[in-house]
Amino acid sequence: MDFHALQQRLRRFANERDWQPYQTPKNLAMAMTVEAAELLEIFQWLTPEQSLNLSDDQRRHLGEELSDVLLYLVQIADHGGVDLDAAVERKLAMNAIKHPPKKS
Amino acid sequence: MDFHALQQRLRRFANERDWQPYQTPKNLAMAMTVEAAELLEIFQWLTPEQSLNLSDDQRRHLGEELSDVLLYLVQIADHGGVDLDAAVERKLAMNAIKHPPKKS
Amino acid sequence: MDFHALQQRLRRFANERDWQPYQTPKNLAMAMTVEAAELLEIFQWLTPEQSLNLSDDQRRHLGEELSDVLLYLVQIADHGGVDLDAAVERKLAMNAIKHPPKKS
Amino acid sequence: MDFHALQQRLRRFANERDWQPYQTPKNLAMAMTVEAAELLEIFQWLTPEQSLNLSDDQRRHLGEELSDVLLYLVQIADHGGVDLDAAVERKLAMNAIKHPPKKS
């Protein structure tokens, strides 16, 4: 996934629909949270085991909600001035320090 | 961003910490929503305009929260059996049909 | 609002539908978050000013989402063993200490 | 719980801290969602069974987060012009129609 190319596509998509005035990081963060909760809804009454064995329909639905979250996520990074690839590497390094492995 | 390579790294990271039993899509979806809300918290009392002009500290914080959401997102795709690159392309095509452009 | 009476009504409602196995605090917390996000969705593309001037339809929708959140909230308190009236008073006292008033 | 009295207390509390400009329904809805996610975080890695058997510390923490959600909820109702008691009764009636009981 080329985040920069995707961000350009999404900017063009928004421009063609006059959505720019709505595209503040604040609004996009709300929209991403709404989509995260729609994803959560898929699992809300499932047992942990059932969540590991999704039907084809549930998996397709999950793919749509994951995409919705990701599309807002890359737009927040774009409009908020964050280099997402660099931020992820930095976070992985922080996590490795915060949570030392149990095993050698 | 190579999602498959990242998913392998995160599986190894979880294995080294005995986290596998917790890594159900249900739990990961909860964790992703919690991180989405931590990102939302950055913007909660800001005006739309302020959210477009973040300080360096706010931008670094935003990068960390975006990464947290993304790391759980790719793990949900991995454990839920979703091909994330394909799902995003499919969703972009659906969005183009659902929201026709205003301009030619 | 008599929380105890409402909790009894909701327990009876769930029993009559065989919903008890799903009524764990974990699942109810997911459901409450989903409803909170549905409420958030009402405001997601509104300006702050527009959010202060809702139409009758928006206000009715808001009332439904507020109720959904509240109904799950009192069920979480019930199944989690929390006295909600006492917890609120305790939190108000904590908030008054945490945030001293600016004016005398 | 007298919602109207609580709303008056919270308005006074906000006034004494010059928080009125921030108290739009849009911002309050964001804040409520953030608190709902903090509550969700308590349960995120627990099994359903563990979520039914909280320690005293977990129960106290749960009470604080439930209160945070409720305090924002009544403020959204107040600033959004919703009569919360009436809205809840209306929603309970709607739910009874939407989900007919399985048992007589």
Side-chain angles (χ1 to χ4, degrees):
Chain A
M1 176 77 53
D2 178 336
F3 287 141
H4 185 69
L6 180 57
Q7 285 163 340
Q8 294 307 107
R9 285 172 75 180
L10 292 169
R11 274 191 180 261
R12 206 159 48 235
F13 193 89
N15 286 350
E16 289 168 356
R17 284 152 186 84
D18 290 336
W19 287 351
Q20 302 102 314
Y22 303 97
Q23 305 265 0
T24 63
K26 178 168 176 137
N27 283 357
L28 294 167
M30 293 177 79
M32 188 184 76
T33 305
V34 168
E35 299 298 340
E38 289 185 7
L39 189 153
L40 192 64
E41 195 176 7
I42 298 175
F43 299 111
Q44 115 185 284
W45 306 120
L46 300 187
T47 64
E49 294 71 30
Q50 288 170 330
S51 84
L52 280 162
N53 293 286
L54 301 177
S55 69
D56 286 348
D57 263 8
Q58 288 172 319
R59 188 173 295 112
R60 186 166 41 242
H61 186 186
L62 178 59
E64 291 179 18
E65 301 299 349
L66 284 167
S67 301
D68 280 335
V69 176
L70 185 62
L71 293 174
Y72 282 120
L73 193 155
V74 300
Q75 289 178 92
I76 297 168
D78 187 13
H79 292 274
V82 171
D83 177 333
L84 199 48
D85 289 284
V88 165
E89 281 305 324
R90 193 168 164 275
K91 197 60 170 66
L92 287 169
M94 289 168 67
N95 285 350
I97 293 167
K98 188 176 169 191
H99 303 287
K102 283 199 178 168
K103 303 170 187 170
S104 63
Chain B
M1 176 78 54
D2 179 335
F3 288 141
H4 186 68
L6 179 58
Q7 285 162 339
Q8 293 307 108
R9 283 172 75 180
L10 292 169
R11 276 193 180 257
R12 206 160 46 235
F13 193 89
N15 287 351
E16 289 168 355
R17 285 151 186 83
D18 290 336
W19 287 351
Q20 302 102 315
Y22 303 96
Q23 304 265 1
T24 63
K26 178 169 177 138
N27 283 357
L28 294 167
M30 293 176 79
M32 188 184 76
T33 305
V34 168
E35 299 298 340
E38 291 184 6
L39 190 152
L40 191 64
E41 195 175 5
I42 298 174
F43 299 110
Q44 116 185 285
W45 306 120
L46 300 188
T47 63
E49 293 70 30
Q50 288 170 329
S51 84
L52 280 162
N53 293 289
L54 302 178
S55 68
D56 286 347
D57 263 6
Q58 287 173 319
R59 188 173 295 112
R60 186 167 40 241
H61 186 187
L62 179 59
E64 291 179 19
E65 301 300 348
L66 284 167
S67 301
D68 280 334
V69 176
L70 184 63
L71 293 175
Y72 282 119
L73 193 154
V74 299
Q75 289 179 91
I76 297 168
D78 187 14
H79 293 274
V82 170
D83 177 335
L84 199 48
D85 289 285
V88 165
E89 281 305 324
R90 193 168 165 275
K91 197 62 170 63
L92 288 168
M94 289 169 67
N95 285 351
I97 293 167
K98 189 176 168 190
H99 303 286
K102 283 198 177 168
K103 305 171 186 172
S104 64
Chain C
M1 176 78 53
D2 179 335
F3 287 140
H4 185 70
L6 179 57
Q7 286 163 339
Q8 293 307 108
R9 283 172 75 180
L10 291 169
R11 276 191 179 259
R12 206 160 48 235
F13 192 89
N15 287 350
E16 289 168 356
R17 283 150 187 85
D18 292 336
W19 287 351
Q20 302 101 315
Y22 303 97
Q23 305 265 0
T24 63
K26 178 168 176 136
N27 283 356
L28 294 167
M30 293 177 79
M32 188 184 76
T33 305
V34 168
E35 298 299 339
E38 291 185 5
L39 189 152
L40 191 64
E41 196 176 5
I42 298 175
F43 299 110
Q44 118 185 281
W45 305 121
L46 300 187
T47 63
E49 294 68 33
Q50 288 170 330
S51 84
L52 280 162
N53 292 288
L54 303 177
S55 69
D56 286 348
D57 264 7
Q58 288 172 318
R59 189 174 293 111
R60 184 165 45 240
H61 186 187
L62 178 59
E64 290 179 20
E65 301 299 349
L66 284 167
S67 300
D68 279 334
V69 176
L70 185 62
L71 293 175
Y72 282 120
L73 193 154
V74 299
Q75 288 179 91
I76 296 168
D78 187 13
H79 292 274
V82 170
D83 177 335
L84 198 48
D85 290 283
V88 165
E89 281 305 325
R90 192 168 164 276
K91 198 60 170 65
L92 287 169
M94 289 168 67
N95 285 349
I97 293 167
K98 189 176 167 189
H99 303 287
K102 283 200 178 167
K103 305 171 187 169
S104 63
Chain D
M1 175 78 53
D2 178 337
F3 287 140
H4 185 69
L6 180 57
Q7 286 163 339
Q8 293 307 107
R9 283 173 73 180
L10 292 169
R11 275 191 179 259
R12 205 158 49 233
F13 192 88
N15 287 350
E16 289 169 355
R17 285 152 186 83
D18 291 336
W19 287 351
Q20 302 102 315
Y22 303 97
Q23 305 265 0
T24 63
K26 178 169 177 135
N27 283 356
L28 294 167
M30 293 177 79
M32 188 184 76
T33 305
V34 168
E35 299 298 340
E38 291 185 4
L39 189 153
L40 192 63
E41 195 175 6
I42 298 175
F43 299 111
Q44 117 185 284
W45 305 120
L46 300 188
T47 64
E49 294 70 32
Q50 287 170 331
S51 84
L52 280 162
N53 292 288
L54 302 177
S55 68
D56 286 348
D57 263 7
Q58 288 172 318
R59 189 173 294 111
R60 184 166 43 239
H61 186 187
L62 179 59
E64 290 177 20
E65 301 300 347
L66 284 166
S67 300
D68 279 335
V69 176
L70 185 62
L71 293 175
Y72 281 119
L73 193 154
V74 299
Q75 288 178 91
I76 297 168
D78 186 14
H79 293 273
V82 170
D83 177 335
L84 199 48
D85 290 285
V88 165
E89 280 305 324
R90 193 168 165 275
K91 197 59 169 64
L92 287 169
M94 289 168 68
N95 285 350
I97 292 166
K98 187 176 169 191
H99 303 287
K102 283 199 176 167
K103 304 170 186 169
S104 64

